[in-house]
Amino acid sequence: MKRKLLALLLSGLAIILLMGAGDPAVLAAEVEAIADSVRTEEPVAPVEEPVELIETQDSIDNEQEAEVIPEQPVQNLDRILLVDGQPVPKTAARTTIGGMTYVSLKVMSQQLDTTSQVEWDAQSNSVTVTTEGLVLTAKIGQKYMIANGRYLYMPEGVIMSQNNQAMVSLDALVKAFDAHLGWDGETGTFVVTRGSGAIESAEAFYREDDLFWLSRVIYAESGNQVLEGKMGVGIVVLNRVNDKSGVWPDSVKGVIAQRNQFSTYKNGRLANRTPNAESVVAAKLVLDGGIVEEVKNAFFFDTFRNNSWAARNKAVIAAIGGHRFYG
């Protein structure tokens, strides 16, 4: 820049000299003075054009890596119990009682059907679960719960936990919601698969003729026994009905009426009896698959009579109340 300015000055001086204007010595001195001032002038920093910053993907990634991202809270889930592939909350309180898996009635009902309404009745000490298609009641201390009029057996009963949750058998609860319970041995998980959402009603499930005769023979043979004793008599009858050997008839009435088997059936006396409430409950429990483990394979029973045919020919497998049961 300085060189260009000096060149211009010299060019201007030459023109003046050619035109004969002024004293050449004076002009030369002035030109020299201007040249000196140009040489000593502070340099001017060059003006740079603004550069646009382009954000690349690498810079974005680096910025993201530099950000402090808060950790997400760990979900409080029970990964041993899955419903349709998803773990349930640990508030389901899964535990083992008497060899059976128990869960919170409230929490697990809401996992099986999110519309479940759960109410506690302090007066009756019971819980009621209601959905569009299901009404389920469970009373603390009872060995069954009632779902749409069906009686579902739980050997350990309905239990109140230490944190005041009503606990029920997972098997029975899954059945009440018409779901399926399986076990995945590879992952070590209980796998629940939802079904229709509600068990078939009692009116549709229990055959009137079977319930009529079974409740009456239970009452006649064990009306004063504990619930398991009553169920034991019913199990003996149903074991005979379901036996494929051909030794027994294939209906409840046929088994009860078989010659030399149930003396209480004779002369129409059994049909005229009115069973007590728990005998009807026992009949419904066994018709719904309820099993008293000790007598699940029993085909005979007696009242501790050593001269009975069963006592003389069969092995005792259990004794409940006033009865011995034989395989």
Side-chain angles (χ1 to χ4, degrees):
M1 182 66 70
K2 291 179 180 179
R3 291 177 180 175
K4 290 182 178 180
L5 181 56
L6 183 57
L8 290 173
L9 290 172
L10 294 174
S11 299
L13 179 58
I15 293 170
I16 293 171
L17 291 173
L18 290 173
M19 294 176 63
D23 187 332
V26 175
L27 291 174
E30 289 178 359
V31 170
E32 184 63 26
I34 293 171
D36 288 338
S37 66
V38 171
R39 292 189 189 99
T40 59
E41 191 178 66
E42 290 295 327
V44 180
V47 178
E48 296 182 358
E49 294 293 327
V51 178
E52 182 179 358
L53 296 177
I54 301 175
E55 193 174 37
T56 65
Q57 186 60 50
D58 287 341
S59 66
I60 294 174
D61 291 341
N62 291 336
E63 288 179 5
Q64 289 177 343
E65 289 176 1
E67 291 179 0
V68 178
I69 301 175
E71 293 184 3
Q72 295 297 318
V74 178
Q75 289 180 299
N76 196 19
L77 299 175
D78 180 355
R79 300 186 183 279
I80 303 300
L81 177 55
L82 310 180
V83 175
D84 285 348
Q86 299 301 313
V88 304
K90 286 187 178 178
T91 50
R94 176 182 52 83
T95 189
T96 301
I97 301 174
M100 301 188 69
T101 300
Y102 266 62
V103 291
S104 162
L105 174 57
K106 177 179 180 179
V107 175
M108 199 62 196
S109 293
Q110 292 171 339
Q111 293 298 304
L112 291 167
D113 187 332
T114 57
T115 69
S116 294
Q117 300 295 314
V118 183
E119 296 181 358
W120 166 255
D121 185 341
Q123 186 173 359
S124 64
N125 215 24
S126 62
V127 179
T128 300
V129 178
T130 308
T131 71
E132 183 178 354
L134 176 67
V135 176
L136 182 156
T137 58
K139 184 176 181 179
I140 304 299
Q142 275 187 338
K143 294 196 172 184
Y144 54 84
M145 58 184 174
I146 307 170
N148 285 352
R150 303 264 297 273
Y151 283 68
L152 309 181
Y153 182 56
M154 293 180 292
E156 301 301 324
V158 182
I159 297 171
M160 182 66 81
S161 70
Q162 292 182 346
N163 60 346
N164 294 322
Q165 289 196 77
M167 304 288 290
V168 297
S169 159
L170 177 61
D171 297 70
L173 187 59
V174 165
K175 182 175 180 178
F177 278 85
D178 189 39
H180 176 266
L181 175 62
W183 171 256
D184 187 334
E186 292 185 3
T187 59
T189 54
F190 292 99
V191 180
V192 178
T193 306
R194 291 187 182 95
S196 69
I199 196 171
E200 184 180 28
S201 70
E203 291 77 9
F205 179 78
Y206 297 127
R207 292 180 56 185
E208 185 176 349
D209 187 65
D210 289 347
L211 184 58
F212 178 91
W213 288 108
L214 191 60
S215 61
R216 280 160 174 76
V217 76
I218 289 173
Y219 175 63
E221 299 287 350
S222 59
N224 63 345
Q225 300 295 304
V226 296
L227 178 63
E228 287 83 357
K230 293 181 177 72
M231 291 176 66
V233 170
I235 288 169
V236 166
V237 173
L238 293 185
N239 281 348
R240 294 184 180 189
V241 171
N242 296 322
D243 182 62
K244 304 301 181 184
S245 67
V247 174
W248 320 103
D250 60 359
S251 69
V252 171
K253 182 180 180 181
V255 165
I256 295 171
Q258 192 174 20
R259 186 178 178 182
N260 298 325
Q261 296 302 312
F262 292 89
S263 59
T264 52
Y265 178 78
K266 293 179 180 179
N267 304 320
R269 289 180 297 166
L270 188 63
N272 293 323
R273 294 200 179 202
T274 301
N276 59 20
E278 193 169 69
S279 293
V280 176
V281 169
K284 289 181 177 180
L285 288 171
V286 296
L287 286 170
D288 231 310
I291 292 294
V292 177
E293 194 66 24
E294 300 93 323
V295 298
K296 66 180 181 180
N297 296 317
F299 281 83
F300 304 90
F301 65 90
D302 66 19
T303 56
F304 289 88
R305 290 185 297 111
N306 292 330
N307 63 341
S308 72
W309 183 90
R312 289 181 284 108
N313 295 277
K314 296 293 180 180
V316 176
I317 60 175
I320 301 177
H323 287 101
R324 284 184 306 201
F325 292 86
Y326 304 82

